[in-house]
Amino acid sequence: MGSDSDLPVVKAAISELKAFGVPSEVHVMSAHRTPELVAEFATNAKENGFGVIIAAAGKAGVIAGHTALPVIGIPIKSSTLDGLDALLATVQMPTGIPVATVAIDGAANAAILAVQMLALSDDALAEQLVQRKKTMAEGVVEKEKKLLA
């Protein structure tokens, strides 16, 4: 996160990762105020055991520029442009610096996407994802039954 004010949104990602049993760390680093710290973190992330990085707001591109790991950006809703500025900044990365992007304030989906990436080499995570989708589908069917009753 670029600021601790992003934490209320980022908590949804933390919760999802915990639900899947995926260890995570949360840091406050500013791409503008602490660029060396961000660069050091991203450069050493793989060696430090990270498989995917989720970055809130505009920091995603800076991180992606310093790592070969997948980076997922969470555009954070702002008071001035309702997060459109963060969304546009996150999706407009130059060729060679990809950042996967979720919806504005879409931290839960950022975590699930990270789990999907990690599940490519982890059968237990893959099975948890299959079960999660099955549970979601069953929930929709139950809602339909209640509606029609």
mmCIF file of all heavy atoms in Angstrom, residues 12-13 16 72 102-103 105-116:
data_model
loop_
_atom_site.group_PDB
_atom_site.id
_atom_site.type_symbol
_atom_site.label_atom_id
_atom_site.label_comp_id
_atom_site.label_asym_id
_atom_site.label_seq_id
_atom_site.Cartn_x
_atom_site.Cartn_y
_atom_site.Cartn_z
ATOM 1 N N ALA A 12 -9.723 -6.770 2.488
ATOM 2 C CA ALA A 12 -10.466 -7.817 1.767
ATOM 3 C C ALA A 12 -9.509 -8.809 1.119
ATOM 4 O O ALA A 12 -9.781 -10.011 1.080
ATOM 5 C CB ALA A 12 -11.390 -7.192 0.730
ATOM 6 N N ALA A 13 -8.379 -8.329 0.620
ATOM 7 C CA ALA A 13 -7.375 -9.230 0.037
ATOM 8 C C ALA A 13 -6.738 -10.091 1.125
ATOM 9 O O ALA A 13 -6.547 -11.300 0.943
ATOM 10 C CB ALA A 13 -6.302 -8.426 -0.700
ATOM 11 N N GLU A 16 -9.131 -12.888 2.087
ATOM 12 C CA GLU A 16 -9.205 -13.947 1.081
ATOM 13 C C GLU A 16 -7.957 -14.825 1.110
ATOM 14 O O GLU A 16 -8.053 -16.049 1.035
ATOM 15 C CB GLU A 16 -9.389 -13.364 -0.326
ATOM 16 C CG GLU A 16 -10.761 -12.835 -0.596
ATOM 17 C CD GLU A 16 -11.851 -13.905 -0.660
ATOM 18 O OE1 GLU A 16 -11.551 -15.106 -0.837
ATOM 19 O OE2 GLU A 16 -13.024 -13.530 -0.529
ATOM 20 N N ILE A 72 -0.331 -7.669 -9.429
ATOM 21 C CA ILE A 72 -1.755 -7.377 -9.552
ATOM 22 C C ILE A 72 -2.007 -6.022 -8.909
ATOM 23 O O ILE A 72 -1.668 -5.815 -7.745
ATOM 24 C CB ILE A 72 -2.614 -8.455 -8.856
ATOM 25 C CG1 ILE A 72 -2.301 -9.841 -9.433
ATOM 26 C CG2 ILE A 72 -4.100 -8.118 -8.981
ATOM 27 C CD1 ILE A 72 -2.882 -10.984 -8.625
ATOM 28 N N VAL A 102 -7.572 -5.341 -11.281
ATOM 29 C CA VAL A 102 -8.931 -5.697 -10.877
ATOM 30 C C VAL A 102 -9.756 -4.420 -10.796
ATOM 31 O O VAL A 102 -9.252 -3.324 -11.042
ATOM 32 C CB VAL A 102 -8.927 -6.459 -9.538
ATOM 33 C CG1 VAL A 102 -8.220 -7.812 -9.690
ATOM 34 C CG2 VAL A 102 -8.293 -5.646 -8.423
ATOM 35 N N ALA A 103 -10.995 -4.568 -10.429
ATOM 36 C CA ALA A 103 -11.896 -3.419 -10.331
ATOM 37 C C ALA A 103 -11.427 -2.434 -9.261
ATOM 38 O O ALA A 103 -10.650 -2.781 -8.370
ATOM 39 C CB ALA A 103 -13.305 -3.902 -9.988
ATOM 40 N N ASP A 105 -11.239 -0.768 -6.013
ATOM 41 C CA ASP A 105 -11.463 -1.335 -4.679
ATOM 42 C C ASP A 105 -11.699 -2.852 -4.713
ATOM 43 O O ASP A 105 -12.271 -3.419 -3.789
ATOM 44 C CB ASP A 105 -12.623 -0.645 -3.950
ATOM 45 C CG ASP A 105 -12.283 0.771 -3.501
ATOM 46 O OD1 ASP A 105 -11.111 1.180 -3.616
ATOM 47 O OD2 ASP A 105 -13.206 1.471 -3.028
ATOM 48 N N GLY A 106 -11.231 -3.521 -5.753
ATOM 49 C CA GLY A 106 -11.463 -4.953 -5.937
ATOM 50 C C GLY A 106 -10.407 -5.835 -5.283
ATOM 51 O O GLY A 106 -9.892 -6.768 -5.906
ATOM 52 N N ALA A 107 -10.096 -5.567 -4.040
ATOM 53 C CA ALA A 107 -9.029 -6.292 -3.346
ATOM 54 C C ALA A 107 -9.303 -7.784 -3.213
ATOM 55 O O ALA A 107 -8.385 -8.598 -3.340
ATOM 56 C CB ALA A 107 -8.794 -5.676 -1.968
ATOM 57 N N ALA A 108 -10.553 -8.169 -2.967
ATOM 58 C CA ALA A 108 -10.862 -9.597 -2.835
ATOM 59 C C ALA A 108 -10.530 -10.327 -4.134
ATOM 60 O O ALA A 108 -9.913 -11.398 -4.115
ATOM 61 C CB ALA A 108 -12.329 -9.793 -2.461
ATOM 62 N N ASN A 109 -10.906 -9.747 -5.267
ATOM 63 C CA ASN A 109 -10.584 -10.389 -6.542
ATOM 64 C C ASN A 109 -9.084 -10.389 -6.815
ATOM 65 O O ASN A 109 -8.571 -11.317 -7.450
ATOM 66 C CB ASN A 109 -11.321 -9.722 -7.700
ATOM 67 C CG ASN A 109 -12.661 -10.386 -7.964
ATOM 68 O OD1 ASN A 109 -12.978 -11.425 -7.406
ATOM 69 N ND2 ASN A 109 -13.448 -9.772 -8.826
ATOM 70 N N ALA A 110 -8.375 -9.398 -6.342
ATOM 71 C CA ALA A 110 -6.914 -9.398 -6.499
ATOM 72 C C ALA A 110 -6.318 -10.605 -5.781
ATOM 73 O O ALA A 110 -5.440 -11.296 -6.312
ATOM 74 C CB ALA A 110 -6.311 -8.103 -5.959
ATOM 75 N N ALA A 111 -6.818 -10.882 -4.590
ATOM 76 C CA ALA A 111 -6.321 -12.035 -3.832
ATOM 77 C C ALA A 111 -6.690 -13.338 -4.518
ATOM 78 O O ALA A 111 -5.861 -14.251 -4.619
ATOM 79 C CB ALA A 111 -6.870 -11.998 -2.410
ATOM 80 N N ILE A 112 -7.914 -13.434 -5.005
ATOM 81 C CA ILE A 112 -8.332 -14.664 -5.681
ATOM 82 C C ILE A 112 -7.523 -14.872 -6.955
ATOM 83 O O ILE A 112 -7.103 -16.000 -7.260
ATOM 84 C CB ILE A 112 -9.850 -14.646 -5.945
ATOM 85 C CG1 ILE A 112 -10.606 -14.686 -4.607
ATOM 86 C CG2 ILE A 112 -10.264 -15.820 -6.833
ATOM 87 C CD1 ILE A 112 -12.082 -14.363 -4.711
ATOM 88 N N LEU A 113 -7.257 -13.810 -7.688
ATOM 89 C CA LEU A 113 -6.408 -13.925 -8.880
ATOM 90 C C LEU A 113 -4.997 -14.381 -8.497
ATOM 91 O O LEU A 113 -4.406 -15.231 -9.169
ATOM 92 C CB LEU A 113 -6.364 -12.597 -9.638
ATOM 93 C CG LEU A 113 -5.521 -12.569 -10.911
ATOM 94 C CD1 LEU A 113 -5.963 -13.640 -11.906
ATOM 95 C CD2 LEU A 113 -5.593 -11.178 -11.540
ATOM 96 N N ALA A 114 -4.482 -13.849 -7.416
ATOM 97 C CA ALA A 114 -3.159 -14.283 -6.938
ATOM 98 C C ALA A 114 -3.178 -15.768 -6.598
ATOM 99 O O ALA A 114 -2.254 -16.511 -6.946
ATOM 100 C CB ALA A 114 -2.734 -13.452 -5.727
ATOM 101 N N VAL A 115 -4.240 -16.214 -5.947
ATOM 102 C CA VAL A 115 -4.366 -17.633 -5.599
ATOM 103 C C VAL A 115 -4.437 -18.470 -6.877
ATOM 104 O O VAL A 115 -3.816 -19.536 -6.970
ATOM 105 C CB VAL A 115 -5.589 -17.879 -4.690
ATOM 106 C CG1 VAL A 115 -5.850 -19.370 -4.502
ATOM 107 C CG2 VAL A 115 -5.392 -17.201 -3.338
ATOM 108 N N GLN A 116 -5.165 -18.003 -7.872
ATOM 109 C CA GLN A 116 -5.235 -18.737 -9.141
ATOM 110 C C GLN A 116 -3.849 -18.866 -9.770
ATOM 111 O O GLN A 116 -3.500 -19.926 -10.300
ATOM 112 C CB GLN A 116 -6.192 -18.043 -10.112
ATOM 113 C CG GLN A 116 -7.643 -18.180 -9.710
ATOM 114 C CD GLN A 116 -8.572 -17.406 -10.616
ATOM 115 O OE1 GLN A 116 -8.271 -16.294 -11.049
ATOM 116 N NE2 GLN A 116 -9.731 -17.982 -10.900
#
